[in-house]
Amino acid sequence: MHRAARTASVAIALATAFAVTACGSSAGGEVAADKKQTLTVWAMGAEGEKLVDVAEEYKKANPNITVKVTPVGWDVAHQKLVAAAAAGKMPDVAQMGGSYMGEFAELGVLEPVDTKTFDEKDFFPAGWQQGEVEGEAYGVPWYVDTRVLYYRTDLAKKAGVTKAPADWKGLRTMASALQDKAGSKWGIYLQPRSLDTVQSFYPFLYSAGGEIVDKDGAPVIDSPAAVKAFKEYGDYFKQGLSMKNSQPGYDPLKDFNTGDVPMFFSGPWISTLIKDQYPGLKGKWAVAPVPADKTSTSMAGGSSLVISKDSSHKAAAKEFITYLTDAKGQTDWFERTSDLPANTTAWKTGELADSPSLQVFKKQMETAKSSPTLANWTEVTSKVDAAIESVTQGKASPEGAAKKAKSEIESLVK
């Protein structure tokens, strides 16, 4: 496989790789799961805060185990994990997104998943794949997310559209109708530029059958399928159906509420925000699968749980992760956070089974694609971000932008 060039932070950590191995806590021997002990866990953002409560519940049923949860902000998570890896002080358990997995697996600080304890078949395929690096699983899926189409049903009706678009032609037709007949300023919001524009582009790229790199890590962003996706995406801006400029971090919800932006792609957390912030929209919006080209395929996101290779508490760590990722634990976590369960059995009962909108997310997750776990994936996608911007701003043709992106990515994956 073409190995990604390491970032500066990874290079620093690799320089101390021998120290990590030498000073890890496993030197003192591992502690049995039934012994009194403290398990250290790092979790990010809101998940870290919510996990504190779960840890307290876990201790009631497992009084010999104290789970010490440290919430870590996403803005400093990578820096703290790299520093911990370099110092040989990784927590016993850590939350880790797919964009980190290749980097930390390459550093040699993660314990491979015990596949006798955790069965791949219990999880969405894309959720499991986010924790794999070169065929070895290092992370157990904790929660998942994917992107689907949000749209204003009341405005669609006004525009004469009675059902969600099933394919690219239907999406373009609906966007035009919403502008021309329903009075929306824009037909749809697609991110035009800036960091992580690629996340808005993935539903087009994947549905066309395109990829950024192939299974061997070689760039294929200039394939006919990828060029087709660039052209389709760019045409929304060329035809004035989507705004060519938006502020970094732009949130379309306010404009979704007014009707200026009647459609956009986003994840499951948006459903909660709409219900909480815009109760007046009740009954006026819905979600639908990504409109298809060759297929209806969206991106997969979420987080996994990893165990430090040098942990002295691996047995207890596995039991705690089992508690968090079995069907019961996943249902409880959904009720606390609205994070979508990675364990598919959790979707068979309750709100997860009964809610039509949640079932749209489930259906989309079944075909969603996870990003490759390359150590410098964010550097790779930044080149795609730039290519998308050049197309949306009319500075390059889809073919030219794709060719330039391929050339730039080649230097990163050699």
Side-chain angles (χ1 to χ4, degrees), residues 379-411:
E379 290 181 77
V380 171
T381 56
S382 71
K383 305 305 180 185
V384 183
D385 289 342
I388 298 167
E389 178 177 341
S390 69
V391 172
T392 65
Q393 303 306 303
K395 297 178 180 178
S397 67
E399 295 82 0
K403 184 177 180 180
K404 181 181 180 183
K406 179 185 179 181
S407 175
E408 292 173 337
I409 292 170
E410 279 178 333
S411 67

Short mmCIF file of all heavy atoms in Angstrom, two decimals, residues 379-411:
data_model
loop_
_atom_site.label_atom_id
_atom_site.label_comp_id
_atom_site.label_asym_id
_atom_site.label_seq_id
_atom_site.Cartn_x
_atom_site.Cartn_y
_atom_site.Cartn_z
N GLU A 379 -4.66 16.05 4.94
CA GLU A 379 -3.86 16.73 3.92
C GLU A 379 -4.34 16.36 2.52
O GLU A 379 -4.42 17.19 1.62
CB GLU A 379 -2.38 16.37 4.07
CG GLU A 379 -1.71 16.95 5.29
CD GLU A 379 -0.24 16.56 5.34
OE1 GLU A 379 0.55 17.17 4.59
OE2 GLU A 379 0.10 15.64 6.10
N VAL A 380 -4.68 15.09 2.36
CA VAL A 380 -5.19 14.61 1.07
C VAL A 380 -6.50 15.31 0.73
O VAL A 380 -6.68 15.83 -0.38
CB VAL A 380 -5.38 13.08 1.09
CG1 VAL A 380 -6.11 12.60 -0.16
CG2 VAL A 380 -4.03 12.37 1.21
N THR A 381 -7.42 15.34 1.69
CA THR A 381 -8.74 15.93 1.40
C THR A 381 -8.65 17.44 1.20
O THR A 381 -9.51 18.02 0.54
CB THR A 381 -9.76 15.60 2.50
OG1 THR A 381 -9.28 16.04 3.78
CG2 THR A 381 -10.04 14.11 2.55
N SER A 382 -7.63 18.08 1.77
CA SER A 382 -7.49 19.52 1.55
C SER A 382 -7.24 19.82 0.07
O SER A 382 -7.65 20.89 -0.43
CB SER A 382 -6.35 20.09 2.40
OG SER A 382 -5.08 19.68 1.92
N LYS A 383 -6.60 18.90 -0.63
CA LYS A 383 -6.38 19.08 -2.07
C LYS A 383 -7.69 18.94 -2.83
O LYS A 383 -7.91 19.62 -3.84
CB LYS A 383 -5.36 18.06 -2.58
CG LYS A 383 -4.03 18.08 -1.83
CD LYS A 383 -3.39 19.46 -1.81
CE LYS A 383 -2.06 19.46 -1.06
NZ LYS A 383 -1.50 20.83 -0.93
N VAL A 384 -8.58 18.08 -2.34
CA VAL A 384 -9.89 17.93 -2.96
C VAL A 384 -10.74 19.17 -2.66
O VAL A 384 -11.48 19.66 -3.52
CB VAL A 384 -10.59 16.65 -2.49
CG1 VAL A 384 -11.94 16.48 -3.19
CG2 VAL A 384 -9.71 15.42 -2.74
N ASP A 385 -10.64 19.69 -1.42
CA ASP A 385 -11.32 20.94 -1.08
C ASP A 385 -10.97 22.04 -2.09
O ASP A 385 -11.83 22.77 -2.59
CB ASP A 385 -10.91 21.43 0.32
CG ASP A 385 -11.48 20.58 1.45
OD1 ASP A 385 -12.44 19.83 1.21
OD2 ASP A 385 -10.95 20.70 2.57
N ALA A 386 -9.67 22.16 -2.38
CA ALA A 386 -9.20 23.19 -3.30
C ALA A 386 -9.74 22.95 -4.71
O ALA A 386 -10.10 23.90 -5.43
CB ALA A 386 -7.68 23.24 -3.32
N ALA A 387 -9.81 21.68 -5.11
CA ALA A 387 -10.32 21.36 -6.44
C ALA A 387 -11.80 21.71 -6.56
O ALA A 387 -12.25 22.27 -7.57
CB ALA A 387 -10.11 19.87 -6.72
N ILE A 388 -12.57 21.39 -5.52
CA ILE A 388 -14.00 21.72 -5.52
C ILE A 388 -14.18 23.24 -5.64
O ILE A 388 -15.00 23.72 -6.42
CB ILE A 388 -14.68 21.19 -4.25
CG1 ILE A 388 -14.59 19.67 -4.17
CG2 ILE A 388 -16.14 21.62 -4.21
CD1 ILE A 388 -14.94 19.09 -2.82
N GLU A 389 -13.41 23.99 -4.85
CA GLU A 389 -13.52 25.45 -4.88
C GLU A 389 -13.22 26.00 -6.27
O GLU A 389 -13.90 26.91 -6.75
CB GLU A 389 -12.58 26.07 -3.86
CG GLU A 389 -12.61 27.59 -3.87
CD GLU A 389 -11.73 28.23 -2.80
OE1 GLU A 389 -11.37 27.53 -1.83
OE2 GLU A 389 -11.43 29.43 -2.95
N SER A 390 -12.21 25.45 -6.91
CA SER A 390 -11.86 25.96 -8.24
C SER A 390 -12.99 25.72 -9.24
O SER A 390 -13.18 26.52 -10.17
CB SER A 390 -10.55 25.31 -8.73
OG SER A 390 -10.74 23.93 -9.01
N VAL A 391 -13.76 24.65 -9.03
CA VAL A 391 -14.90 24.37 -9.91
C VAL A 391 -16.09 25.26 -9.56
O VAL A 391 -16.71 25.87 -10.44
CB VAL A 391 -15.30 22.88 -9.82
CG1 VAL A 391 -16.60 22.62 -10.59
CG2 VAL A 391 -14.19 22.00 -10.39
N THR A 392 -16.41 25.36 -8.27
CA THR A 392 -17.59 26.14 -7.87
C THR A 392 -17.41 27.63 -8.16
O THR A 392 -18.38 28.34 -8.40
CB THR A 392 -17.91 25.97 -6.38
OG1 THR A 392 -16.85 26.49 -5.58
CG2 THR A 392 -18.14 24.50 -6.04
N GLN A 393 -16.17 28.10 -8.14
CA GLN A 393 -15.90 29.52 -8.39
C GLN A 393 -15.61 29.80 -9.86
O GLN A 393 -15.28 30.93 -10.23
CB GLN A 393 -14.73 29.99 -7.52
CG GLN A 393 -14.93 29.77 -6.04
CD GLN A 393 -16.23 30.38 -5.51
OE1 GLN A 393 -16.47 31.57 -5.65
NE2 GLN A 393 -17.07 29.55 -4.90
N GLY A 394 -15.73 28.77 -10.70
CA GLY A 394 -15.53 28.96 -12.13
C GLY A 394 -14.10 29.19 -12.54
O GLY A 394 -13.83 29.75 -13.62
N LYS A 395 -13.14 28.77 -11.72
CA LYS A 395 -11.73 29.01 -12.02
C LYS A 395 -11.07 27.85 -12.77
O LYS A 395 -9.95 27.99 -13.28
CB LYS A 395 -10.96 29.28 -10.73
CG LYS A 395 -11.41 30.55 -10.00
CD LYS A 395 -10.66 30.74 -8.70
CE LYS A 395 -11.10 32.01 -7.98
NZ LYS A 395 -10.40 32.19 -6.69
N ALA A 396 -11.74 26.69 -12.79
CA ALA A 396 -11.19 25.52 -13.48
C ALA A 396 -12.32 24.63 -13.95
O ALA A 396 -13.41 24.63 -13.36
CB ALA A 396 -10.25 24.74 -12.56
N SER A 397 -12.06 23.88 -14.99
CA SER A 397 -13.04 22.90 -15.46
C SER A 397 -13.00 21.69 -14.53
O SER A 397 -12.01 21.48 -13.81
CB SER A 397 -12.69 22.45 -16.87
OG SER A 397 -11.47 21.71 -16.86
N PRO A 398 -14.05 20.88 -14.50
CA PRO A 398 -14.01 19.66 -13.69
C PRO A 398 -12.80 18.78 -14.03
O PRO A 398 -12.16 18.25 -13.12
CB PRO A 398 -15.33 18.96 -14.04
CG PRO A 398 -16.25 20.08 -14.39
CD PRO A 398 -15.38 21.08 -15.11
N GLU A 399 -12.50 18.65 -15.32
CA GLU A 399 -11.36 17.83 -15.74
C GLU A 399 -10.04 18.42 -15.24
O GLU A 399 -9.17 17.70 -14.72
CB GLU A 399 -11.33 17.69 -17.27
CG GLU A 399 -12.49 16.95 -17.87
CD GLU A 399 -13.74 17.81 -18.06
OE1 GLU A 399 -13.70 19.02 -17.72
OE2 GLU A 399 -14.75 17.28 -18.55
N GLY A 400 -9.89 19.74 -15.39
CA GLY A 400 -8.66 20.40 -14.97
C GLY A 400 -8.45 20.35 -13.47
O GLY A 400 -7.33 20.11 -12.98
N ALA A 401 -9.54 20.58 -12.72
CA ALA A 401 -9.45 20.54 -11.25
C ALA A 401 -9.09 19.15 -10.76
O ALA A 401 -8.28 18.98 -9.85
CB ALA A 401 -10.78 21.00 -10.65
N ALA A 402 -9.70 18.14 -11.38
CA ALA A 402 -9.45 16.75 -10.97
C ALA A 402 -8.01 16.35 -11.27
O ALA A 402 -7.35 15.69 -10.46
CB ALA A 402 -10.41 15.82 -11.70
N LYS A 403 -7.51 16.76 -12.43
CA LYS A 403 -6.13 16.43 -12.82
C LYS A 403 -5.12 17.07 -11.87
O LYS A 403 -4.15 16.42 -11.45
CB LYS A 403 -5.87 16.90 -14.25
CG LYS A 403 -4.50 16.52 -14.79
CD LYS A 403 -4.35 16.96 -16.24
CE LYS A 403 -2.97 16.58 -16.77
NZ LYS A 403 -2.80 17.00 -18.20
N LYS A 404 -5.36 18.33 -11.50
CA LYS A 404 -4.45 19.01 -10.58
C LYS A 404 -4.48 18.36 -9.20
O LYS A 404 -3.43 18.15 -8.57
CB LYS A 404 -4.84 20.48 -10.46
CG LYS A 404 -3.92 21.28 -9.53
CD LYS A 404 -4.34 22.74 -9.43
CE LYS A 404 -3.40 23.50 -8.49
NZ LYS A 404 -3.82 24.91 -8.31
N ALA A 405 -5.69 18.02 -8.72
CA ALA A 405 -5.81 17.37 -7.41
C ALA A 405 -5.06 16.04 -7.39
O ALA A 405 -4.37 15.71 -6.42
CB ALA A 405 -7.28 17.16 -7.06
N LYS A 406 -5.18 15.26 -8.47
CA LYS A 406 -4.47 13.98 -8.52
C LYS A 406 -2.97 14.19 -8.41
O LYS A 406 -2.28 13.47 -7.67
CB LYS A 406 -4.79 13.25 -9.82
CG LYS A 406 -4.06 11.91 -9.93
CD LYS A 406 -4.27 11.23 -11.26
CE LYS A 406 -3.49 9.91 -11.31
NZ LYS A 406 -3.66 9.22 -12.61
N SER A 407 -2.44 15.16 -9.14
CA SER A 407 -1.00 15.43 -9.12
C SER A 407 -0.53 15.81 -7.72
O SER A 407 0.51 15.34 -7.25
CB SER A 407 -0.68 16.56 -10.10
OG SER A 407 0.68 16.91 -10.03
N GLU A 408 -1.33 16.63 -7.03
CA GLU A 408 -0.95 17.07 -5.68
C GLU A 408 -1.06 15.92 -4.67
O GLU A 408 -0.23 15.82 -3.75
CB GLU A 408 -1.84 18.24 -5.27
CG GLU A 408 -1.58 19.50 -6.08
CD GLU A 408 -2.58 20.61 -5.76
OE1 GLU A 408 -3.69 20.31 -5.28
OE2 GLU A 408 -2.24 21.78 -6.02
N ILE A 409 -2.06 15.09 -4.83
CA ILE A 409 -2.24 13.97 -3.89
C ILE A 409 -1.15 12.91 -4.09
O ILE A 409 -0.71 12.28 -3.13
CB ILE A 409 -3.65 13.36 -4.06
CG1 ILE A 409 -4.71 14.37 -3.60
CG2 ILE A 409 -3.79 12.06 -3.26
CD1 ILE A 409 -6.13 13.98 -3.94
N GLU A 410 -0.69 12.74 -5.33
CA GLU A 410 0.37 11.75 -5.60
C GLU A 410 1.59 12.01 -4.76
O GLU A 410 2.25 11.08 -4.26
CB GLU A 410 0.74 11.78 -7.10
CG GLU A 410 -0.21 11.00 -7.97
CD GLU A 410 0.16 11.10 -9.44
OE1 GLU A 410 0.78 12.11 -9.85
OE2 GLU A 410 -0.17 10.16 -10.19
N SER A 411 1.93 13.28 -4.55
CA SER A 411 3.12 13.61 -3.75
C SER A 411 2.93 13.31 -2.27
O SER A 411 3.91 13.20 -1.52
CB SER A 411 3.48 15.09 -3.93
OG SER A 411 2.46 15.92 -3.37
#
